[in-house]
Amino acid sequence: MEKIIFDTDIGSDIDDAFALGYLLNHPECELLGITTVSGEAEKRAALCQLFVDRSGKTVPVHSGISKPIAYEELQPRCPQARVLERFSPTGLAMEKSAVDFIRQTVLKYPHEVTLISVAPLTNLGVLFTLDPDIARLLKRVIIMGCKVDNHPDFVGRLDWNVLCDPIAAKIVLDADIPELIIYPCDVTYKLHHSPDYLKTHVKGKYRELIEAMSEVWFERFDGYSYHDPMAAAYAFRPELVQVQRGQMRVDLMKSGTLSYTAWQPLSKGHHAIACELDEDGFLEELYTHLNREEEQ
């Protein structure tokens, strides 16, 4: 069993919901807790609680920090919180306690916890600032974020999760973490599906929730990618992706931006980035577990 903490900004993109359902259903996942971050973190926690309610499990949910450490707040709202008008969580998420929860859990299970962060890195940046030694007590951190090449999306060479809190990203990338795995947008953008694909492939206990949340997402976008579940799947199926070792850094001044990321391949580098994904194997892994109905 893998001891996992899942740090998420669920409620903006739809892929967080896929990742959360996958983790809750995975038979090898001991989900120790869920933490939320970015604008309206409390509403994001309520969305997480909806998934926990349907899972039949008892998993603590802690809301975290809503605003970045510095600079402009780029994600101040949680658009998919609209579904809370249709669905009400039966459990109560614990408010503004994410950072302390992560710290106490890692201290309880030193060198055993995999922290999966698929969001702006504010919770982790604050944690590693308050207690730098805690980074060394993690088993590993898996993040969805950063860029290697100039992928043509709406933020150009930048990455959204890094852009939302570049200071936190730099703190995390510079931290003394035993193993840091990075899923950059260069890999995650390659696999993209239409709304029709979602309707025909998402089944099981989370289908109603994911479809409701995706309706909000599809008001602005014509499909979805699998950024966050790709990162989550690495914890259980690392053989599905080829990785390259090296060093990722955040240049806070490069080209007039605050979140330019630069990758340097190094045979003994501190970090590893995902490079080539077995897409068919990943999709089978994701939907097999996401769509499970039975209790684990």
Side-chain angles (χ1 to χ4, degrees):
M1 295 287 283
E2 288 285 341
K3 289 181 170 60
I4 303 288
I5 296 174
F6 184 56
D7 188 55
T8 175
D9 60 344
I10 192 171
S12 294
D13 200 334
I14 189 59
D15 58 328
D16 298 72
F18 281 79
L20 179 54
Y22 167 81
L23 291 172
L24 283 165
N25 274 4
H26 202 291
E28 298 174 30
C29 178
E30 183 182 353
L31 191 55
L32 300 175
I34 304 162
T35 56
T36 61
V37 69
S38 201
E40 298 185 319
E42 293 84 0
K43 292 181 180 179
R44 298 179 193 275
L47 291 174
C48 291
Q49 190 64 54
L50 292 175
F51 281 81
V52 173
D53 291 346
R54 281 156 180 76
S55 75
K57 298 181 177 181
T58 301
V59 179
V61 180
H62 296 259
S63 70
I65 301 169
S66 290
K67 295 185 178 182
I69 293 174
Y71 304 111
E72 179 183 0
E73 187 177 5
L74 299 180
Q75 195 167 257
R77 298 287 178 261
C78 176
Q80 292 166 27
R82 282 164 38 188
V83 307
L84 294 170
E85 299 171 4
R86 294 170 53 186
F87 308 100
S88 298
T90 58
L92 181 63
M94 288 163 273
E95 295 187 0
K96 299 180 180 178
S97 53
V99 172
D100 187 60
F101 168 77
I102 296 171
R103 181 176 182 273
Q104 294 300 327
T105 304
V106 174
L107 290 172
K108 183 177 180 181
Y109 302 107
H111 311 294
E112 294 185 54
V113 176
T114 293
L115 202 163
I116 301 174
S117 178
V118 295
L121 292 163
T122 311
N123 285 340
L124 278 65
V126 170
L127 172 62
F128 294 162
T129 299
L130 295 173
D131 187 352
D133 293 335
I134 204 73
R136 290 193 290 271
L137 296 180
L138 285 157
K139 176 181 178 180
R140 61 184 168 183
V141 173
I142 305 170
I143 67 172
M144 189 280 123
C146 303
K147 278 192 176 181
V148 177
D149 297 320
N150 189 18
H151 187 278
D153 69 359
F154 71 102
V155 288
R157 180 67 188 272
L158 310 181
D159 165 71
W160 181 251
N161 283 342
V162 176
L163 188 65
C164 283
D165 198 334
I167 302 297
K170 180 171 176 55
I171 293 168
V172 172
L173 291 174
D174 290 347
D176 190 14
I177 301 166
E179 182 179 18
L180 178 60
I181 308 297
I182 302 166
Y183 264 75
C185 292
D186 312 81
V187 171
T188 61
Y189 269 122
K190 291 178 180 178
L191 187 57
H192 190 81
H193 281 141
S194 69
D196 287 340
Y197 190 95
L198 185 151
K199 290 179 181 179
T200 57
H201 284 75
V202 175
K203 303 172 185 178
K205 64 185 78 171
Y206 308 115
R207 178 174 183 169
E208 188 179 22
L209 278 178
I210 291 176
E211 286 188 343
M213 294 167 69
S214 70
E215 288 173 5
V216 181
W217 176 251
F218 293 143
E219 288 174 1
R220 296 181 57 206
F221 300 96
D222 62 359
Y224 64 103
S225 297
Y226 294 89
H227 312 290
D228 299 350
M230 286 184 187
Y234 184 88
F236 312 99
R237 297 290 306 279
E239 72 276 9
L240 292 175
V241 67
Q242 297 177 23
V243 299
Q244 180 186 62
R245 301 209 67 82
Q247 192 75 27
M248 184 72 77
R249 62 181 174 82
V250 176
D251 190 331
L252 299 179
M253 299 301 294
K254 185 72 173 181
S255 301
T257 74
L258 291 171
S259 57
Y260 178 99
T261 55
W263 173 250
Q264 181 181 7
L266 297 167
S267 60
K268 296 183 179 180
H270 182 61
H271 304 149
I273 60 165
C275 298
E276 295 293 334
L277 179 73
D278 176 354
E279 294 182 356
D280 292 338
F282 163 73
L283 290 172
E284 180 181 5
E285 168 73 8
L286 172 63
Y287 285 106
T288 295
H289 295 296
L290 176 66
N291 293 336
R292 283 183 186 273
E293 286 283 10
E294 69 272 17
E295 296 293 331
Q296 300 302 315

